[in-house]
């Protein structure tokens, strides 16, 4: 079983990255919260891996933080929640935000994630509440990154950036029309020069405050 990958980042196209490990390229699905923390193409990367095997496929899911992998594994044990939905949940909110939603019975925040209806959100809260009691909600390193990397004025998103952002949102489960609307709303309020930033802001607009 693969539990960790360390190598060179060759490609980064949300929600998938390609990592070269001694000449072997591994395709890894990552949540957006991990994607934001990865180096530029060509940089060295280390990911904690969850190896998922089903009747029809095999897939690697990668996480920058072991804590995120632990929560991912906890999520997929919930009835009705598969790896794709768990990835979407962890893309739409940080680990500590999700824990807060569960502990505060915040159904309205959870149903904003594509594929999560009211019944699934309620099931998540019921089944996760006891398991997450020991988690400590702390200031996330990602929040510090966001504060230090606000979009600069004067930039303008290219068609390629918009297309890549919309494609990533669709891959996470949002309908094309929803993805286009989310991206358009962000571009009306921000000047964005990178697709990762556009994806982050789009997802953040749906996340709990």
């Amino acid at each position: 079983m693969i539990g960790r990958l360390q190598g060179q980042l060759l490609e980064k196209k949300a929600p998938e990255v390609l990592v070269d490990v001694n000449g072997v390229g591994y395709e890894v699905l990552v949540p957006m919260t991990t994607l934001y923390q990865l180096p530029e193409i060509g940089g060295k990367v280390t990911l904690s891996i969850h190896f998922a095997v089903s009747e029809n496929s095999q897939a690697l899911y990668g996480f920058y933080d072991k804590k995120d992998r632990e929560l991912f594994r906890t999520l997929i044990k919930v009835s009705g929640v598969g790896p794709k939905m768990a990835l979407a949940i962890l893309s739409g909110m940080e680990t500590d935000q999700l824990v807060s939603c569960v502990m505060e019975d915040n159904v309205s925040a959870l149903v904003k994630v594509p594929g999560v209806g009211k019944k699934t959100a309620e099931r998540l809260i019921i089944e996760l509440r006891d398991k997450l009691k020991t988690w400590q909600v702390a200031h996330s390193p990602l929040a510090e990154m966001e504060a230090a990397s606000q979009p600069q004025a004067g930039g303008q998103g290219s068609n390629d950036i918009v297309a890549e952002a919309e494609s990533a949102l669709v891959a996470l489960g949002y309908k094309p029309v929803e993805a286009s609307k989310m991206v358009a709303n962000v571009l009306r309020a921000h000047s964005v020069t990178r697709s990762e930033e556009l994806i982050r802001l789009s997802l953040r607009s749906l996340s709990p405050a």
Side-chain angles (χ1 to χ4, degrees), residues 47-200:
L47 295 172
S48 295
I49 299 295
H50 174 80
F51 183 31
V53 180
S54 65
E55 291 184 8
N56 302 317
S57 66
Q58 298 182 16
L60 298 176
Y61 293 87
F63 305 90
Y64 191 83
D65 194 316
K66 284 185 178 181
K67 182 176 66 173
D68 291 345
R69 183 181 64 177
E70 181 183 347
L71 185 52
F72 176 86
R73 288 175 168 173
T74 301
L75 282 169
I76 60 177
K77 292 178 182 178
V78 175
S79 177
V81 177
K84 184 177 181 180
M85 184 181 293
L87 195 72
I89 292 172
L90 292 179
S91 290
M93 58 183 72
E94 295 178 54
T95 301
D96 291 337
Q97 288 178 317
L98 176 57
V99 174
S100 293
C101 284
V102 171
M103 304 312 292
E104 296 170 7
D105 295 343
N106 194 342
V107 173
S108 61
L110 291 171
V111 297
K112 293 179 180 178
V113 176
V116 177
K118 184 177 180 181
K119 290 184 178 180
T120 300
E122 292 173 343
R123 190 184 307 121
L124 280 166
I125 290 172
I126 292 172
E127 294 191 28
L128 292 177
R129 187 184 293 118
D130 289 341
K131 297 177 182 178
L132 299 181
K133 280 183 177 179
T134 58
W135 286 63
Q136 297 295 320
V137 178
H139 183 65
S140 168
L142 180 59
E144 296 177 356
M145 276 182 47
E146 291 178 351
S149 61
Q150 292 299 317
Q152 298 178 358
Q156 184 175 3
S158 69
N159 290 335
D160 288 343
I161 291 174
V162 171
E164 186 173 339
E166 291 181 353
S167 177
L169 292 170
V170 170
L172 288 171
Y174 292 94
K175 296 178 181 179
V177 173
E178 292 175 331
S180 296
K181 184 177 180 180
M182 291 163 66
V183 168
N185 287 340
V186 169
L187 291 177
R188 278 195 289 268
H190 302 273
S191 293
V192 182
T193 58
R194 299 171 65 245
S195 60
E196 290 93 341
E197 181 75 3
L198 184 52
I199 297 166
R200 180 183 68 81

